């Protein structure tokens, strides 16, 4: 409902303000909240009743950077990832030329056994990693019941992809969420309960247990996503092969031939 969305946004903004007041440079934070009707009286207990669902289960974020030693509690959280299903969601990114950024995320996916939902404006492609799922928008738009695709953990790297189907899926089926960015900024327009990690895929990979075996995917989530990707790419290729008329969507396929 509208009230729930507004309250989620308010709680998210207050959490971000508090975290910014603490690190990386502690100091005052100014909040500018536009009111539709300033100082409008509300019923006693309204704020508590509407905010309580968003306050349950909140964890303090544990921001860390390349020059800081991550807290032990964060390392314990990361090690627990190996026993859970997850998705690595990669938004638009423009790494320097020659950077092993895409390969690092591929190693991260292999280490955890989690599929990568890669935005088209990121440099990640299916050729870079067998864990890459590029057709996630079509998959989520076609699947009748999406509950079976829900992960235990969502690791979002950089800005969130623009896919409406993906954003609706994340909003409808909330998961334990981590936001990874090299900056202390909010990259989540959905205002989810999330822990922000100020680092890079490489620094995150270094924190995982060296040589840890790939998880066996006890819930089968990885195989479900990768099989759906295979089916979606098959139907896409068959459609493009049979499309004799010129249109924009066929340009990329023609250029790869």
């Amino acid at each position: 409902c509208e009230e729930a969305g507004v309250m989620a946004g308010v709680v998210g903004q207050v959490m971000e303000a508090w975290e910014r007041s603490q690190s990386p440079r502690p100091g005052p934070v100014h909040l500018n909240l536009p009111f539709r009707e300033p100082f409008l009286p509300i019923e006693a207990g309204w704020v508590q009743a509407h905010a309580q669902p968003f306050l349950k289960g909140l964890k303090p974020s544990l921001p860390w950077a390349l020059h800081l030693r991550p807290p032990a509690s964060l390392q314990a959280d990361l090690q627990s990832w190996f026993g859970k299903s997850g998705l690595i969601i990669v938004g638009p990114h423009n790494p320097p030329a020659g950077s092993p950024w895409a390969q690092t995320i591929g190693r991260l996916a292999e280490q955890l056994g989690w599929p990568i939902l890669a935005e088209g404006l990121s440099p990640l492609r299916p050729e870079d990693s067998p864990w890459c799922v590029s057709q996630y928008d079509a998959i989520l738009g076609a699947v009748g019941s999406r509950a079976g695709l829900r992960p235990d953990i969502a690791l979002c790297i950089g800005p969130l992809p623009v896919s409406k189907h993906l954003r609706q899926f994340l909003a409808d089926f909330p998961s334990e969420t981590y936001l990874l960015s090299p900056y202390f900024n909010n990259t989540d327009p959905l205002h989810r309960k999330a822990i922000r990690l100020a680092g890079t895929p490489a620094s995150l990979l270094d924190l995982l247990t060296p040589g840890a075996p790939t998880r066996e995917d006890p819930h089968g989530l990885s195989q479900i996503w990768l099989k759906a990707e295979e089916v979606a790419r098959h139907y896409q290729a068959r459609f493009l092969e049979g499309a004799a008329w010129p249109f924009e969507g066929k340009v990329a396929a023609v250029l790869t031939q």
Side-chain angles (χ1 to χ4, degrees):
C1 67
E2 182 180 356
E3 288 183 347
V6 170
M7 187 55 66
V10 170
V11 172
Q13 292 294 327
V14 172
M15 287 177 58
E16 182 183 5
W18 181 85
E19 289 169 358
R20 291 218 177 187
S21 72
Q22 304 298 308
S23 62
R25 295 180 179 178
V29 175
H30 173 75
L31 291 175
N32 184 15
L33 302 176
F35 293 96
R36 183 178 302 172
E37 298 182 45
F39 310 110
L40 178 69
I42 59 175
E43 298 178 5
W46 186 93
V47 174
Q48 290 82 354
H50 286 75
Q52 198 61 34
F54 300 98
L55 298 176
K56 289 181 179 178
L58 284 180
K59 293 182 181 179
S61 289
L62 302 171
W64 53 278
L66 297 179
H67 61 282
L68 299 175
R69 181 179 180 182
S73 55
L74 174 59
Q75 291 181 310
D77 278 350
L78 296 182
Q79 298 313 314
S80 72
W81 289 6
F82 288 102
K84 299 177 181 179
S85 63
L87 291 175
I88 300 175
I89 302 171
V90 181
H93 200 83
N94 186 27
S99 168
W101 186 84
Q103 292 77 5
T104 300
I105 295 181
R107 288 171 54 205
L108 189 62
E110 184 177 1
Q111 186 90 317
L112 293 166
W114 294 355
I116 309 167
L117 309 191
E119 159 77 48
L121 295 177
S122 80
L124 259 168
R125 296 293 181 268
E127 295 77 16
D128 296 316
S129 171
W131 297 92
C132 188
V133 176
S134 61
Q135 304 297 318
Y136 59 86
D137 186 77
I139 293 169
L140 292 173
V143 174
S145 175
R146 297 177 294 177
L149 299 174
R150 176 185 180 273
D152 296 326
I153 295 176
L155 171 60
C156 302
I157 300 178
L160 200 64
V162 298
S163 165
K164 291 183 178 180
H165 291 307
L166 175 62
R167 295 190 176 198
Q168 192 62 51
F169 169 70
L170 294 174
D172 292 343
F173 303 100
S175 306
E176 184 178 347
T177 302
Y178 292 81
L179 308 176
L180 179 65
S181 171
Y183 312 105
F184 287 83
N185 61 338
N186 187 357
T187 58
D188 183 26
L190 302 181
H191 306 295
R192 292 168 292 172
K193 299 175 184 177
I195 295 179
R196 278 189 285 276
L197 305 176
T200 65
S203 59
L204 179 59
L205 186 62
D206 290 340
L207 288 179
L208 297 174
T209 303
T214 300
R215 194 175 54 80
E216 294 183 1
D217 191 21
H219 306 292
L221 183 68
S222 297
Q223 292 306 314
I224 292 174
W225 272 100
L226 295 176
K227 180 62 178 178
E229 167 78 358
E230 181 182 342
V231 172
R233 289 175 64 85
H234 168 75
Y235 279 104
Q236 180 191 67
R238 193 170 71 175
F239 171 80
L240 292 174
E241 183 179 354
W245 65 96
F247 69 103
E248 295 87 344
K250 197 173 181 179
V251 173
V254 172
L255 291 177
T256 59
Q257 296 176 358

